[in-house]
């Protein structure tokens, strides 16, 4: 029988990092992945003369001279395996109903200056916002390094603002800062990346993301996120690890006192191990992959709210961005800047709010001369796609895609229809298929008030409810998104290495 | 002086609120429902009908629809709803090998969904097709996998008029499209089929196609190589298209390689943009070569195999010949389904390099279109 110190289930962003961390600690590790590629959402696909990025808009906190994610990649030994390219501007937010049209730069100073231009009188509140955000990011780095075992008096002394803002929503803090309404609207444009409304989303989570984008440098790999995933796989092979593709884990087996004792694979083989790191939602692990789950865990898992379900369109166009009339790299298009209202609108199939990227505006050579690559993404805040019958599926997805593209044309004046050479549409069904995500969710659990970043970081110990089982990925303690998923793999990988050393 | 955040009148109240974060979340988790966790959900269940993946197909009926061209009707063990133009792979043991081949689905989407049946049409071409035609028997069970492909009408990309150019066995996906328009499982475009064969009797399913062409959104033109009373003679060329096709259209081409190449030229001459020409490449066949043979070392999970690889055959065929179940779908380099890792050795890709950028950089390749040029050591994921 096969025996490993640890089995990592799922080679998504979290699982890849966890496997590297475990291997670096000297453990014997098997990484199993149901798909035939590493990366999970972090992948790419080809259609004709285009190679589409499956999910990454940009990797934040990755500055030329440091950044938490770059530091992590350095210590994993993967940074130099990847060819990086930088991103021109932060984002372009448009909401014609409220006459909002702003393009924001990277860099705190430039960002504040630009905001002052759009919203005179916003400067002081913006400076305060960034002061809070910096402190929050530092506090998180500290929590990460301590594996969540933080000393609260140290926290209050060194990261007082982190503690004082820690219980508030984005909305509450921005109001306290007396930030003008329009500046709040522009600043909060990223909210749909996290998928919770601002009255619900914890401020620390939002602020830490904004500063990672605006201040800490933003890059993306030329070979799409697939290049990162293959670089990590390469590192795993270098360190003597094994990756079994096309190999799903069916069950996590438990023995005495409910502790992990093995993994049953789809092909019927059993792998013996005492430690599993699952890059999978607890809802799936406890709901589909384990028997005799204690009631406490069932309740705690049922209590959580799934975050947005994904929908994306990938376009390869046969004209250049100039010819099509596309100005920016990264657009946010909203019906309303009131995220509470927008959130409600994003429950129905007629939702047309979107985060849209023109890859050539960041990386001009990403497609042949005279062509353009675009991605459109939206989220569904409810299970609207669950009601779509198989026989209506193709028509529904084309209707939704048409609405999103027409919305983009209407808000920006670009001309896309008639120039589409390649199109691929991913729906919640697609995400359920490739990642096994319940309801086709792409963001794990919602960053709600009660289940926000601070709460999860402080409860890492309590959340380990099965001996020998830790979680990583977009549903774990750092919440969703690329950098969060990488960090969660870092934390759970190192913690599991510690468990192994202690002979747990 | 650094800014100090304060929302409550007294800042210690902000601190007290902070200390409640953990108790609040604990309470929230304790108050969750004790009902069993969901084993599935609606999106996942619908997904399984759209992408059933591996199916068992029991052969119900086999009949010759034109000389050397056979229809195979299978009962599948799961309901399936697909977009016409999709293909599946059909797999079976043949002698000591295990092989799969891609075939377009000829039957209609509702048939697969409601009757759990699919029809494939197979022309005698070589190793596997000969097995199917000569040896497959009713009640035999096959592995059917899919659906796959990007050969369907996309309303956002394509014109409302589709010109379908079929050469020989290439008619299968278009029969499905016509059946789908007829039964109403798809809509929104008009289908103009140009079906080229050698002689009148090589036309498959002629009665049904004639009946379908009475639909307002379907018409069929037969083009015969052999001079035949009442039919245009020759190939499907610019002349006949200019005469019979609508003014603007999207072209779908399906047929042998030479036919696809010829049709592309004719369509370009008519002024079609590249984006309006859709064709799916055929599987890569043998390469004419010196007949050398190499050692192929294959890692699959924790197992290692050593097999022979001939330089006339793709690495995928070498695996299949050795009865190793390796994944494959399109066999033309484009779907990525056979994605494998090169550990050592050299190979040549035929039919164009369709890998992702980073695949080439990190030494991944598509065995279905790669021929060995030296001894090779590779890692292949198991076929499911
Ligand atoms: C999307 C798509 C849809 C298609 N739809 C249709 C359709 O509807 N109808 C249709 O008729 N065709 C269709 N085709 C084409 C069809 O797939 C090919 O005609 C078919 O693959 C030919 O297979 P063959 O084994 O008969 O031919 P071959 O070319 O002989 O088979 C390929 C390989 O088998 C190898 N081989 C020989 N001996 C052995 C052995 N002992 N063990 C293992 N391997 C061996 C050979 O080396 C050769 O390289 C489609 C193709 C695609 C890509
Ligand atoms: S089988 Fe499609 S790329 Fe090889």
């Amino acid at each position: 029988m096969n025996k490993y110190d640890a089995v990592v289930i799922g080679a998504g962003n979290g699982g890849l990092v966890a496997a590297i961390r475990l291997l670096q600690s000297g453990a014997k590790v098997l990484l199993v992945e149901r798909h035939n590629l590493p990366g999970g959402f972090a992948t790419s696909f080809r259609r004709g003369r285009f190679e589409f990025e499956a999910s990454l808009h940009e990797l934040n906190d990755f500055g030329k001279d440091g950044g938490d994610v770059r530091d992590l990649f350095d210590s994993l030994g993967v940074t130099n395996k990847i060819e990086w390219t930088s991103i021109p501007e932060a984002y372009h937010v448009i909401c014609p109903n409220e006459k909002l049209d702003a393009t924001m730069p990277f860099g705190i100073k430039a960002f504040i200056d630009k905001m002052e231009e759009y919203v005179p009188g916003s400067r002081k509140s913006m400076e305060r916002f960034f002061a809070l955000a910096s402190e929050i990011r530092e506090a998180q780095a500290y929590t990460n390094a301590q594996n969540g075992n933080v000393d609260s008096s140290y926290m209050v002394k060194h990261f007082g603002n982190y503690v004082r803002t820690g219980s508030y929503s984005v909305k509450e803090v921005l109001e306290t800062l007396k930030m003008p309404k329009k500046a709040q609207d522009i600043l909060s444009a990223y909210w749909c990346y996290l998928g919770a409304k601002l009255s619900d989303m914890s401020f620390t989570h939002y602020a830490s993301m904004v500063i990672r984008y605006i201040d800490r440098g933003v890059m993306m790999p030329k070979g799409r996120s697939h290049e990162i995933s293959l670089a990590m796989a390469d590192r795993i092979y270098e360190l003597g690890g094994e990756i079994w593709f096309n190999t799903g884990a069916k069950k996590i087996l438990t023995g005495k006192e409910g502790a992990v004792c093995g993994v049953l694979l789809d092909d019927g083989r059993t792998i013996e191990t005492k430690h599993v790191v699952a890059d999978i939602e607890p809802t799936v692990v406890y709901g589909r992959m384990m028997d005799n789950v204690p009631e406490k865990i069932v309740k705690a898992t049922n209590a959580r709210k799934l975050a947005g379900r994904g929908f994306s369109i990938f376009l390869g166009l046969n004209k250049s961005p100039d010819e099509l009339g596309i100005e920016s790299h990264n657009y946010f298009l909203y019906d309303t800047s009131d995220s509470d209202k927008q959130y409600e609108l994003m429950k129905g199939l007629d939702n047309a709010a979107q985060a849209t990227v023109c890859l050539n505006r960041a990386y001009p050579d990403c497609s042949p001369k005279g062509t353009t690559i675009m991605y459109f993404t939206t989220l569904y805040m409810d299970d609207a796609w669950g009601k779509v019958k198989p026989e209506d599926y193709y028509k529904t997805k084309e209707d939704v895609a048409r609405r999103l593209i027409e919305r983009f044309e209407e808000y920006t004046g670009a001309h896309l229809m008639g120039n589409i050479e390649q199109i691929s549409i991913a729906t919640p069904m697609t995400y359920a298929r490739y990642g096994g995500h319940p309801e086709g969710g792409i963001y794990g659990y919602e960053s709600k008030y009660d289940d926000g970043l601070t709460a999860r970081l402080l409860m890492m110990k309590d959340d380990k409810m099965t001996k020998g089982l830790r979680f990583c990925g977009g549903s774990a303690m750092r919440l969703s998104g690329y950098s969060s998923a990488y960090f969660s793999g870092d934390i759970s990988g190192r913690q599991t290495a510690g468990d192994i050393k202690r002979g747990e | 002086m650094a800014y100090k955040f304060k929302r409550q009148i007294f800042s210690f109240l902000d601190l007290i609120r902070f200390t409640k974060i953990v108790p609040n979340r604990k309470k929230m988790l304790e108050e969750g429902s004790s009902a069993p966790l969901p084993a599935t959900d609606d999106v996942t269940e619908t997904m399984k009908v759209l992408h059933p993946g591996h199916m068992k197909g029991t052969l119900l009926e086999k009949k010759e629809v034109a000389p050397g061209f056979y229809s195979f009707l299978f009962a599948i063990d799961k309901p399936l709803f697909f977009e016409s133009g999709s293909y599946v792979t059909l797999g079976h043991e043949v002698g000591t090998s295990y092989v799969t081949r891609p075939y377009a689905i000829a039957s209609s989407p509702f048939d697969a969904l409601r009757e759990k049946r699919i029809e494939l049409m197979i022309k005698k071409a070589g190793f596997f097709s000969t097995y199917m035609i000569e040896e497959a028997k009713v009640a035999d069970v096959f592995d059917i996998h899919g659906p796959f492909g990007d050969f369907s009408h996309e309303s956002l990309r394509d014109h409302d008029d589709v010109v379908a150019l079929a050469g020989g066995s290439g008619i299968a996906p278009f029969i499905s499209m016509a059946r789908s328009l007829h039964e109403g499982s798809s809509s929104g475009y008009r289908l103009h089929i140009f079906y080229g064969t050698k002689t009148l009797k090589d036309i498959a399913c002629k009665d049904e196609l004639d009946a379908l062409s009475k639909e307002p959104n379907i018409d069929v033109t037969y083009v015969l190589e052999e001079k035949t009373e009442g039919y245009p003679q020759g190939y499907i060329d610019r002349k006949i298209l200019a005469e019979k096709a609508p003014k603007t259209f999207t072209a779908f081409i399906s047929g042998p390689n030479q036919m696809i190449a010829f049709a592309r030229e004719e369509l370009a001459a008519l002024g079609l943009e590249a984006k309006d020409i859709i064709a799916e490449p055929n599987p890569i066949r043998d390469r004419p070569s010196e007949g050398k043979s190499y050692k192929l070392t294959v890692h699959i999970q924790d197992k290692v195999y050593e097999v022979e690889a001939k330089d006339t055959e793709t690495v995928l065929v070498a695996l299949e010949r050795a009865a190793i179940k390796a994944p494959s779908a399109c066999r033309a380099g484009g779907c990525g389904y056979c994605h494998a890792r090169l550990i050592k050795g050299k190979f040549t890709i035929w039919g164009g390099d369709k890998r992702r950028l980073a695949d080439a950089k990190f030494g991944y390749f598509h065995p279905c279109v790669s021929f060995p040029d030296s001894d090779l050591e590779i890692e292949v994921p198991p076929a499911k």
Side-chain angles (χ1 to χ4, degrees):
Chain A
M1 186 192 287
N2 288 283
K3 203 169 162 180
Y4 291 85
D5 294 329
V7 175
V8 178
I9 304 176
N13 288 338
L16 286 165
V17 175
I20 297 177
R21 280 304 192 213
L22 280 157
L23 288 161
Q24 285 174 327
S25 79
K28 185 180 178 216
V29 181
L30 174 65
L31 172 55
V32 294
E33 163 60 50
R34 184 164 51 188
H35 197 40
N36 71 342
L37 299 172
F41 290 129
T43 189
S44 67
F45 57 96
R46 282 202 49 175
R47 288 280 186 282
R49 49 183 179 156
F50 300 96
E51 179 169 343
F52 294 111
E53 164 63 49
S55 60
L56 178 64
H57 289 190
E58 57 233 337
L59 190 59
N60 61 29
D61 214 342
F62 208 94
K64 288 206 177 63
D65 23 68
D68 292 351
V69 181
R70 182 183 280 265
D71 293 346
L72 174 65
F73 275 42
D74 285 348
S75 81
L76 296 170
V78 296
T79 314
N80 298 328
K81 293 179 185 286
I82 298 159
E83 221 184 309
W84 299 96
T85 181
S86 56
I87 307 283
E89 87 276 319
Y91 59 82
H92 185 163
V93 55
I94 307 178
C95 176
N97 297 335
E98 288 156 28
K99 302 204 166 31
L100 184 68
D101 188 332
T103 305
M104 301 307 290
F106 287 117
I108 294 181
K109 184 172 177 308
F111 193 95
I112 294 175
D113 289 348
K114 191 83 201 172
M115 189 69 95
E116 183 65 24
E117 228 174 83
Y118 287 124
V119 191
S122 63
R123 182 174 297 278
K124 190 161 171 206
S125 60
M126 288 303 301
E127 284 170 356
R128 290 182 164 180
F129 169 82
F130 279 108
L132 292 179
S134 302
E135 199 170 324
I136 287 166
R137 196 195 59 79
E138 281 161 30
Q140 282 169 355
Y142 164 77
T143 321
N144 237 23
Q146 301 296 311
N147 288 330
N149 300 317
V150 297
D151 169 6
S152 50
S153 56
Y154 183 92
M155 290 288 279
V156 176
K157 181 149 177 266
H158 295 270
F159 310 114
N161 282 329
Y162 171 72
V163 179
R164 280 184 288 270
T165 55
S167 66
Y168 294 108
S169 69
V170 180
K171 209 170 191 162
E172 286 165 328
V173 174
L174 298 187
E175 276 166 7
T176 310
L177 296 178
K178 302 208 174 59
M179 188 177 289
K181 164 84 171 57
K182 189 167 175 196
Q184 290 189 32
D185 293 345
I186 295 174
L187 175 64
S188 56
Y190 276 131
W191 77 269
C192 72
Y193 272 7
L194 303 180
K197 48 197 172 191
L198 298 173
S199 59
D200 232 2
M201 192 192 311
S202 86
F203 175 75
T204 40
H205 189 196
Y206 192 72
S208 103
M209 184 189 65
V210 171
I211 193 137
R212 282 170 207 282
Y213 273 109
I214 300 305
D215 181 39
R216 308 278 299 170
V218 173
M219 297 286 226
M220 78 161 285
K222 287 191 174 170
R224 320 296 191 263
S225 54
H226 184 54
E227 188 177 2
I228 304 183
S229 305
L230 290 187
M232 298 233 188
D234 199 48
R235 186 72 185 124
I236 289 172
Y237 295 128
E238 278 172 10
L239 292 165
E242 289 169 66
I243 312 176
W244 292 3
F245 291 107
N246 280 3
T247 304
K250 196 182 192 118
K251 290 264 172 198
I252 297 174
L253 307 171
T254 50
K256 259 205 337 251
E257 295 164 26
V260 169
C261 63
V263 175
L264 173 67
L265 303 179
D266 278 341
D267 64 13
R269 286 217 271 172
T270 302
I271 307 291
E272 199 181 314
T273 189
K274 286 190 181 133
H275 301 277
V276 166
V277 180
D279 188 359
I280 310 176
E281 291 89 345
T283 304
V284 173
V285 169
Y286 289 121
R288 305 182 198 169
M289 298 173 65
M290 286 178 80
D291 297 325
N292 308 318
V293 178
E295 184 172 67
K296 179 179 174 225
I297 299 181
V298 171
K299 284 179 154 185
T301 310
N302 268 327
R304 309 188 70 183
K305 182 166 186 279
L306 288 177
R309 296 98 184 131
F311 183 95
S312 301
I313 313 165
F314 307 87
L315 295 186
L317 300 131
N318 67 355
K319 298 223 162 56
S320 71
D322 285 340
E323 291 167 310
L324 297 167
I326 304 166
E327 286 168 28
S328 303
H329 166 246
N330 191 4
Y331 290 90
F332 293 107
L333 309 185
Y334 294 118
D335 304 88
T336 161
S337 58
D338 181 332
S339 71
D340 283 48
K341 283 191 199 140
Q342 185 70 70
Y343 183 95
E344 290 307 311
L345 291 173
M346 291 167 81
K347 287 184 172 169
L349 283 176
D350 52 359
N351 163 31
Q354 57 189 271
T356 297
V357 168
C358 170
L359 187 57
N360 305 68
R361 284 296 182 217
Y363 177 25
D365 297 333
C366 70
S367 65
K369 232 184 160 42
T371 67
T372 300
I373 289 180
M374 293 185 78
Y375 328 127
F376 299 66
T377 304
T378 194
L379 283 179
Y380 289 89
M381 303 311 184
D382 209 344
D383 188 25
W385 282 84
K387 290 168 202 87
V388 176
K389 293 204 192 69
E391 52 269 48
D392 300 326
Y393 173 77
Y394 292 103
K395 169 115 178 52
T396 306
K397 84 174 187 177
E398 288 190 1
D399 287 348
V400 170
R402 182 185 306 276
R403 214 159 21 238
L404 285 163
I405 295 170
E406 285 175 354
R407 165 68 63 91
F408 185 86
E409 292 184 323
E410 181 196 332
Y411 278 23
T412 66
H415 297 288
L416 310 182
M417 287 296 191
N419 302 307
I420 298 172
E421 176 174 322
Q422 293 288 344
I423 178 165
S424 184
I425 304 171
T427 68
M429 280 69 168
T430 316
Y431 296 116
R433 177 178 170 216
Y434 282 106
H437 301 286
E439 297 178 14
I442 57 173
Y443 281 177
Y445 301 109
E446 200 164 275
S447 173
K448 281 200 323 156
Y449 222 80
D450 282 340
D451 201 11
L453 180 60
T454 312
R456 290 197 213 176
L457 285 175
L458 292 171
M459 281 186 67
M460 273 195 249
K461 250 195 187 139
D462 307 75
D463 284 348
K464 184 166 179 286
M465 294 184 283
T466 303
K467 197 169 173 221
L469 174 61
R470 293 187 182 275
F471 290 91
C472 65
S475 60
M477 74 303 264
R478 287 292 296 249
L479 296 105
S480 67
Y482 268 70
S483 36
S484 303
Y486 290 135
F487 285 127
S488 73
D490 173 44
I491 295 172
S492 289
R494 283 188 292 113
Q495 287 180 335
T496 302
D499 299 341
I500 295 170
K501 289 231 165 78
R502 281 192 302 278
E504 263 182 27
Chain B
M1 166 53 207
Y3 170 65
K4 181 172 161 184
F5 177 82
K6 178 163 157 304
R7 180 171 166 92
Q8 310 281 341
I9 303 174
F10 303 107
S11 69
F12 71 90
L13 290 174
D14 294 326
L15 293 178
I16 288 178
R17 271 186 56 121
F18 185 85
T19 60
K20 299 236 173 77
I21 291 177
V22 167
N24 283 346
R25 182 165 181 274
K26 277 192 176 151
K27 188 157 168 275
M28 189 261 307
L29 296 180
E30 276 161 16
E31 284 171 358
S33 152
S34 57
L37 287 162
T40 184
D41 53 75
D42 293 342
V43 164
T44 303
E45 289 305 301
T46 303
M47 177 274 286
K48 288 181 188 162
V49 177
L50 300 168
H51 300 284
H54 294 272
M55 296 169 268
K56 288 280 165 231
T58 308
L59 186 58
L60 293 175
E61 194 185 293
K62 167 177 166 182
K63 62 172 192 251
E64 193 168 17
V65 286
F69 191 34
Y70 286 74
S71 151
F72 292 81
L73 185 66
F74 298 90
I76 46 177
D77 61 345
K78 296 171 189 167
L80 158 71
F81 189 77
F82 64 96
E83 261 187 312
S84 286
S86 305
Y87 71 94
V88 292
T89 66
L90 184 64
H92 204 268
E93 266 122 28
V94 182
T96 55
S97 303
Y98 178 83
V99 281
T100 71
R101 295 287 185 266
Y103 294 104
I105 306 174
S107 47
S108 83
F110 280 159
D111 231 22
L113 181 69
R114 295 173 183 165
E115 313 298 331
K116 292 205 276 176
R117 279 192 322 219
I118 64 171
E119 182 193 3
L120 307 179
M121 296 170 75
I122 301 181
K123 187 182 157 63
K124 203 162 177 169
F127 181 65
F128 186 69
S129 45
T130 303
Y131 169 82
M132 286 305 296
I133 289 168
E134 288 175 5
E135 304 195 30
K137 295 185 304 294
V138 167
D140 285 356
V141 179
F142 295 81
D143 297 321
I144 294 181
H145 186 201
F148 301 101
D150 305 300
F151 196 68
S152 303
H153 181 257
E154 286 282 354
S155 66
L156 295 168
R157 178 194 62 193
D158 300 335
H159 296 286
D160 292 345
D161 282 293
V162 165
V163 167
L165 294 85
S169 68
I171 191 65
F174 303 133
I175 291 185
S176 178
M177 288 184 193
R179 287 170 169 170
S180 175
L181 287 169
H182 172 69
E183 71 183 7
S185 56
S186 62
S187 61
Y189 70 97
R190 290 171 293 274
L191 181 66
H192 312 274
I193 298 177
F194 290 78
Y195 184 8
T197 60
K198 272 208 171 63
T199 70
L200 191 57
K201 64 182 196 322
D202 289 313
I203 299 173
C205 308
K206 185 164 184 304
D207 293 344
E208 188 183 353
L209 285 168
D210 288 341
L212 286 166
S213 69
K214 303 220 160 61
E215 295 281 327
N217 48 0
I218 303 170
D219 57 70
V220 185
T221 305
Y222 305 101
V223 183
L224 307 180
E225 262 178 63
E226 192 182 84
K227 197 169 165 60
T228 311
E229 182 65 37
Y231 293 89
Q233 191 215 340
Y235 296 114
I236 308 164
D237 58 11
R238 64 192 84 178
K239 196 167 140 269
I240 191 156
L241 289 169
E243 198 180 303
K244 303 213 169 212
K247 246 185 136 65
T248 48
F249 60 86
T250 300
F252 281 66
I253 317 171
S254 170
N257 289 340
Q258 313 89 290
M259 180 259 168
I260 295 179
F262 178 74
R264 278 187 184 281
E265 278 173 28
E266 298 303 289
L267 292 163
L270 287 176
L272 257 78
E273 289 183 83
K275 86 169 181 62
D276 292 330
I277 304 176
I278 320 286
E280 230 162 7
N282 285 299
I284 288 284
R285 307 290 291 265
D286 297 359
R287 85 170 160 179
S289 203
E290 302 153 45
K292 275 196 208 141
S293 127
Y294 298 110
K295 189 172 84 184
L296 175 62
T297 309
V298 188
H299 299 257
I300 300 184
Q301 296 181 333
D302 49 351
K303 297 192 179 62
V304 188
Y305 305 86
E306 246 179 48
V307 307
E308 182 199 24
K310 295 184 193 164
D311 69 350
T312 51
E313 293 178 347
T314 63
V315 175
L316 177 62
V317 170
L319 296 170
E320 291 174 338
R321 189 185 279 286
I324 294 175
K325 282 196 183 183
S328 74
C330 73
R331 304 182 78 90
C335 74
Y337 204 75
C338 61
H339 196 259
R341 182 165 73 102
L342 179 75
I343 299 171
K344 228 173 27 222
K346 285 196 292 246
F347 60 82
T348 302
I349 299 171
W350 271 41
D353 189 351
K354 298 172 198 153
R355 291 175 295 174
R356 302 165 179 88
L357 286 166
D359 283 334
K361 174 172 167 178
F362 287 99
Y364 292 83
F365 74 116
H366 295 165
C368 68
V369 290
S370 303
F371 291 87
D373 293 330
S374 73
D375 288 349
L376 287 175
E377 184 172 356
I378 64 175
E379 181 172 6
V380 177
K384 277 178 227 171

